Amino acid sequence: MVTARNSGSKPQVPPGLTVVFAYYENPGMLELQWREISRYSENLKDMIEIIVVDDGSRVSPASEVERPAQLPRHSIYRIAQDIPWNQDAARNIGAHEAAAPWLLLTDIDHVVPQVTLESLVLMQKDSSVFYTLGRVKFSGGEIGTNSEIRGSHPNSYVMTRKLYWDIGGHDEDYAGIYGKDFLFRKRALRKANEVHLEKLYLARVGSSTVRDAGTHSITRENTFRARIWGYLLEFLKEVRLWRGVQALTYEYRKVL
């Protein structure tokens, strides 16, 4: 049975930071995420918001994944249409619906340690830049704080909602084509400087720990047609012979 703290059970100040996860058929991974999030301190829970956007899962919708009690304020949205690799639309929806002025956008298989969130919420941040974080392995059911901190994850960013939309959000014209996420980063670097917070990190969960940590129910191999169209579309947009960034084009609804 799904249980969770009613986020409206007591008066709350607006959150300082919203964490956005894109979800697609990852029930085991989301269950782990909820469990880790429920362990945050009550003080931290009052300062953050969690948004999960389900990219049209047919078998295991995010809203049906068991949630423990004592979660921070949280919401689940669902995209109506199931299009493979439409996670960029999910990120746009999360950024649009976020209540906090600051966003942390990351993949579902990256756990955010409490120390990282606390530092991000409390640190003096520069709204004109975007931040990236290091990565460690999440192994043995624990966050490997003693493991090597690796370079940043290409789909994980900390920035203001305003900067996210000044960049234009993720381009939904590439829905259905795997591997075009990097284009957001290219546009971000044209708009703002990147600041890497090497001492703050996310913990990546591998498929050996949670079978569905990554998305394996759909192929990462683009068809020949999709691959060619992806390159052509990128070129046409670059030379401004095609429309600009498309965001919030897919129907969705709040399910929690």
Side-chain angles (χ1 to χ4, degrees):
M1 181 177 180
V2 175
T3 59
R5 182 178 74 170
N6 181 352
S7 60
S9 60
K10 66 177 181 178
Q12 292 180 311
V13 297
L17 183 144
T18 297
V19 183
V20 177
F21 295 107
Y23 171 98
Y24 185 76
E25 305 289 10
N26 314 103
M29 186 61 232
L30 181 55
E31 189 173 346
L32 184 148
Q33 284 283 7
W34 288 134
R35 185 166 64 249
E36 293 298 320
I37 291 167
S38 72
R39 293 172 178 168
Y40 293 160
S41 70
E42 293 304 310
N43 186 51
L44 177 59
K45 289 175 185 176
D46 288 339
M47 295 188 290
I48 64 171
E49 172 190 36
I50 308 295
I51 291 181
V52 175
V53 184
D54 187 337
D55 186 15
S57 302
R58 298 181 182 183
V59 178
S60 300
S63 59
E64 295 181 5
V65 176
E66 184 174 356
R67 302 185 307 280
Q70 302 305 313
L71 289 172
R73 74 197 91 190
H74 58 281
S75 302
I76 299 176
Y77 296 87
R78 177 179 173 83
I79 299 175
Q81 191 175 2
D82 181 11
I83 297 176
W85 303 117
N86 199 20
Q87 69 274 12
D88 288 344
R91 296 185 181 109
N92 286 341
I93 291 166
H96 177 70
E97 296 289 348
W102 282 88
L103 307 172
L104 193 171
L105 302 108
T106 190
D107 285 353
I108 192 68
D109 61 348
H110 285 68
V111 170
V112 189
Q114 175 165 312
V115 64
T116 295
L117 270 182
E118 286 178 335
S119 298
L120 288 173
V121 171
L122 298 175
M123 69 181 279
Q124 187 70 31
K125 298 182 287 296
D126 183 349
S127 62
S128 69
V129 307
F130 67 91
Y131 297 93
T132 53
L133 309 170
R135 285 197 292 175
V136 299
K137 290 183 178 180
F138 184 104
S139 58
E142 297 181 357
I143 297 171
T145 54
N146 294 323
S147 63
E148 178 186 0
I149 299 180
R150 301 182 178 183
S152 62
H153 178 239
N155 277 333
S156 298
Y157 304 97
V158 179
M159 63 181 68
T160 64
R161 288 179 71 241
K162 181 180 184 305
L163 178 56
Y164 183 90
W165 292 115
D166 284 347
I167 294 166
H170 286 268
D171 194 343
E172 296 170 15
D173 268 344
Y174 293 96
I177 305 174
Y178 178 74
K180 291 298 183 178
D181 317 67
F182 75 95
L183 295 172
F184 175 82
R185 184 181 186 86
K186 285 181 66 175
R187 288 188 287 109
L189 287 169
R190 292 171 185 166
K191 181 68 65 172
N193 290 325
E194 174 187 354
V195 176
H196 183 59
L197 302 175
E198 60 183 13
K199 294 184 179 180
L200 298 183
Y201 53 84
L202 304 169
R204 183 182 180 276
V205 181
S207 57
S208 60
T209 302
V210 177
R211 184 179 59 82
D212 61 16
T215 299
H216 300 292
S217 58
I218 50 178
T219 181
R220 285 173 163 77
E221 292 293 327
N222 291 318
T223 64
F224 177 77
R225 180 178 179 179
R227 186 165 64 251
I228 296 302
W229 174 237
Y231 288 125
L232 179 59
L233 184 59
E234 185 180 344
F235 169 76
L236 292 173
K237 283 177 175 278
E238 190 69 26
V239 297
R240 299 188 178 184
L241 292 176
W242 199 267
R243 63 188 182 183
V245 175
Q246 300 298 295
L248 301 174
T249 62
Y250 289 93
E251 180 183 350
Y252 71 94
R253 64 188 177 92
K254 185 176 183 179
V255 294
L256 176 69

